[in-house]
Amino acid sequence: MTAERVAVAAGRGGGAHWRTALTLAVLAATVWLAHRHWPLLHTGVLRLADADRRHLLAGAVAACGTWLCAALAQQGAVVPRLPPGQLVAAQFAASAANHLLPAGLGAGAVNLRFLVRRGLTAGRAATAVAVKATAGAVARAALIAVLAAACPGLLRVPSGWGGWAVLAVLAVGAAVAAAARYHPRCRSALAAAWTDVKAVHALPHRAAALWGGSLAFAALHACVLIAVTRAVALPLPAPQVALLYLAASGAAALLPTPGGLGSLDAALALALTTAGAPAGTAASAVLGYRLLTVWLPLLPGLLVLGLLLRRRAL
């Protein structure tokens, strides 16, 4: 089965329907909140218009670096060498596609097609995409742990949530173990995926690219927000801003909106204001972060996506 047929079959599954419904619900709630808090958003836009241009430029440079880091991590997830120029272009296009489909499906589909075009089987390409996503989640969790230790008391987890999180992890692990034991196809697929993971980590330069790129990707996104907070004179230290961003983006990932649209904005604004930032300044910081990471690169990213499709690189 080709990668295209796999993507179509996944899109027709029942899970796609509830993801789409939840996405529409979150977007509707976002529009309602924007209408209700329009004066605050208007103030944020005005403050952003008067922001320090040097810090905004630094944030733009950091945003561009995220695509290079994504390319480095994707190269680290496969053994064969990928063409560097096309790989970076594919990550740029994937970031645009990720803001059109829910729950990262756009970026995953672009990377899957790119790897299949480079000669990988659909199974190996899917494993490489999953390995990159898993490394990104682990890298984000590691950064949160380090920053939480450096900023004690900043994050407050509601009582009881830790136990539920452990139970959820155990449940997922039990489900995977049961599938691997009782379903031969799942067992063979997991065995093949594990073989690919071991092959990647047997090469030190590939493992370094995977984990280094994943760590740098999350860190640079935090740097974009830090630069924007400096541009709008938001009174929070850089380590706290980075920790709040990583925690908010992790929480927003639980809602499958395109590129975290609405969910990340609300979580990030809430995190900044809860930490003591003025509401208007927090709104300016969130708007500036979105401007540099989503709205400005969106049209060029879609053009690159179309060009890659036209040249059959995807």
Side-chain angles (χ1 to χ4, degrees), residues 88-192:
V88 174
Q91 302 313 304
F92 185 44
S95 68
N98 203 40
H99 294 94
L100 302 178
L101 294 174
L105 294 179
V110 169
N111 280 314
L112 184 66
R113 288 176 62 94
F114 177 77
L115 293 174
V116 170
R117 289 290 187 185
R118 304 286 78 73
L120 276 72
T121 64
R124 289 184 179 276
T127 297
V129 172
V131 167
K132 177 175 177 287
T134 302
V138 173
R140 186 180 299 272
L143 288 174
I144 289 176
V146 171
L147 290 171
C151 307
L154 184 62
L155 293 183
R156 299 178 181 85
V157 179
S159 59
W161 280 35
W164 285 109
V166 172
L167 288 176
V169 171
L170 292 177
V172 171
V176 172
R181 181 175 181 180
Y182 296 109
H183 296 279
R185 289 186 178 180
C186 292
R187 183 166 57 249
S188 61
L190 289 174

Side-chain angles (χ1 to χ4, degrees), residues 48 56 224 285-298:
L48 186 61
L56 290 179
V224 175
V286 174
L287 289 172
Y289 171 78
R290 282 304 202 180
L291 180 68
L292 295 179
T293 58
V294 177
W295 303 119
L296 288 180
L298 183 58

Side-chain angles (χ1 to χ4, degrees), residues 52-92:
D52 189 321
R53 298 294 188 273
R54 292 172 300 176
H55 285 102
L56 290 179
L57 179 60
V61 172
C64 293
T66 60
W67 305 315
L68 298 175
C69 294
L72 184 63
Q74 190 62 79
Q75 174 62 86
V78 297
V79 172
R81 187 176 184 275
L82 302 173
Q86 290 186 358
L87 179 57
V88 174
Q91 302 313 304
F92 185 44

